[in-house]
Amino acid sequence: MGCFATCGKILLVIVNLLFLVIGLVFFILGFFCKFGNDTLKGYYEGALASLSTSLSDSGFGTVDLSSFDITEVIGTLGIAFIAIGTILLVITVFGFIGACCKIRCMLIGYCILVGLIVVGQIVFFGILFGNKTLITDQIKTPLKSSIQSDFQGLNGTNVVSLAWNFVHIQVKCCGVDSYEDFTGATLWPTNYPSYFLKTPLSCCMTLPSTTDFSCAASPTTSNNYKDTGCFDSIWDLALGNVGLMAGIFAGMGLFQIMLIVFGICVIMDGKQNRVGSSTSRNQHNRKRNRWDD
C-alpha cells in the first residue's frame, strides 16, 4: 500500500495542479465573456462592418452598430465559465493540499466532490443523448420568445436583433429551428416596396447590397439558409459527434474514479501510518516501564 499510496499522492498533486491551472483559465475566460467587450471586439468587428455595409447599400442608411456589446449576448456563458472555474479551483485546492499535506478531511471532501461530479456526468450524459429535448426545449423556448418580442430585422440595434443577425452571418443559419421562428415577430418589419419578407435579410446566403430583397422574399435553399436552424448547427458543432462525446465522458469518468481510488489509498495509508506510529510509541513506553520496574 505504501508504494501505491505514494504514487497516488504524486499523481493527485500533479493532476490537481494541472486542473488548478485549467480552473484559472475557465475563470479568466468567463471574466472576459462577462466584462471583456473591449478585448473581444477585434474578433467580431469584421462581421459588424459587413452588416453595416449591407445596411447602407440596401437603403437603410447609416446604422450605428458601435453600441453593440457582445458581453450582453455571451454574458450568461461567462457566468457559467466563472462558475465552472470556481468549482474546479475549490476541488483542486482540496485535492492538492489534501494529497500534498496528507490532510485526511480534505482528501475525504475531495473524493466526495469528485464522486458527485461523476454521478452528475452520468445523469447529464444519459439525458443529453437519451432524451435531449429535456435540455434543448428549456433553451429553445426563451430564444424563440425573444425573437417574437424583440427582433427588429437587419437594421435593428437592440441586443436581440444584433445577436441574431450576427449569428446568422457567422454560423450560416436562420432562426432557432428555421425561418418560421420569425413569423409573427411583433417588431420585425416585413413589408417593403415590391417585397414581403419571409425570412430576415441576414438569413440570405449573400447579404443584399442593393434594394433587391428577393433572397428573403422568395427564399430557396440555394439563396437562403431558411431551413438551417442555428441551434442544431451550434449543437452539432459542439456535441453532435455522439461517439466522440461518449468516449470523452467515459474517459473522464474512468479518470475521475481513478483519482478517487488514489485519494482513498492516500487516506488509508495515512491512517495506517498513524496506527503504526501509535503502536510503536506504546511498545516503546511499555519497554521503558519494564526498565523502570
Side-chain angles (χ1 to χ4, degrees):
M1 178 70 77
C3 181
F4 190 72
T6 301
C7 292
K9 175 184 174 181
I10 294 171
L11 181 66
L12 284 173
V13 170
I14 294 173
V15 168
N16 282 286
L17 187 60
L18 174 63
F19 275 93
L20 185 67
V21 174
I22 294 173
L24 286 171
V25 170
F26 267 103
F27 191 88
I28 293 170
L29 281 175
F31 182 85
F32 276 112
C33 288
K34 185 64 179 174
F35 306 107
N37 181 61
D38 291 339
T39 303
L40 298 173
K41 187 172 288 186
Y43 294 98
Y44 64 83
E45 278 185 327
L48 289 182
S50 175
L51 180 58
S52 181
T53 300
S54 179
L55 287 169
S56 179
D57 294 342
S58 301
F60 289 106
T62 302
V63 179
D64 183 15
L65 301 178
S66 61
S67 62
F68 178 66
D69 186 344
I70 199 170
T71 59
E72 294 184 26
V73 180
I74 62 174
T76 303
L77 180 64
I79 293 173
F81 279 166
I82 290 173
I84 292 171
T86 302
I87 292 170
L88 279 175
L89 288 172
V90 171
I91 293 174
T92 53
V93 165
F94 268 76
F96 180 79
I97 297 177
C100 193
C101 303
K102 286 190 175 182
I103 301 176
R104 187 168 181 268
C105 62
M106 294 192 77
L107 283 172
I108 292 173
Y110 174 76
C111 292
I112 292 172
L113 289 172
V114 175
L116 290 174
I117 290 176
V118 172
V119 173
Q121 286 174 180
I122 293 171
V123 173
F124 178 74
F125 185 79
I127 294 174
L128 191 63
F129 296 104
N131 188 11
K132 72 174 185 179
T133 55
L134 289 175
I135 297 174
T136 57
D137 286 352
Q138 299 301 315
I139 303 173
K140 286 183 177 182
T141 299
L143 290 175
K144 291 182 178 182
S145 178
S146 70
I147 287 175
Q148 288 295 312
S149 61
D150 297 317
F151 185 73
Q152 299 173 339
L154 190 64
N155 60 333
T157 56
N158 64 3
V159 172
V160 171
S161 302
L162 289 170
W164 277 110
N165 289 329
F166 177 79
V167 170
H168 290 162
I169 294 169
Q170 292 296 101
V171 183
K172 304 184 187 306
C173 57
C174 189
V176 180
D177 289 320
S178 72
Y179 74 98
E180 293 180 354
D181 296 327
F182 295 91
T183 302
T186 55
L187 299 180
W188 176 39
T190 56
N191 287 309
Y192 291 90
S194 304
Y195 296 104
F196 178 80
L197 303 187
K198 294 181 180 178
T199 79
L201 291 168
S202 56
C203 291
C204 293
M205 291 184 177
T206 302
L207 286 176
S209 57
T210 65
T211 55
D212 179 4
F213 297 161
S214 57
C215 64
S218 303
T220 66
T221 54
S222 61
N223 66 6
N224 195 295
Y225 299 112
K226 67 187 187 76
D227 296 322
T228 304
C230 296
F231 187 91
D232 286 341
S233 295
I234 296 172
W235 181 276
D236 291 341
L237 182 65
L239 302 169
N241 192 324
V242 178
L244 177 62
M245 292 305 300
I248 291 173
F249 272 95
M252 288 173 59
L254 290 173
F255 183 70
Q256 288 160 341
I257 291 171
M258 183 181 69
L259 292 178
I260 294 172
V261 171
F262 279 129
I264 293 172
C265 289
V266 175
I267 293 170
M268 297 302 295
D269 185 65
K271 184 177 180 180
Q272 288 178 355
N273 288 339
R274 284 194 297 273
V275 171
S277 177
S278 177
T279 302
S280 297
R281 284 196 301 270
N282 290 336
Q283 290 176 347
H284 179 70
N285 290 334
R286 283 197 295 270
K287 288 180 180 179
R288 288 184 59 186
N289 290 335
R290 290 195 194 100
W291 281 106
D292 292 340
D293 292 340

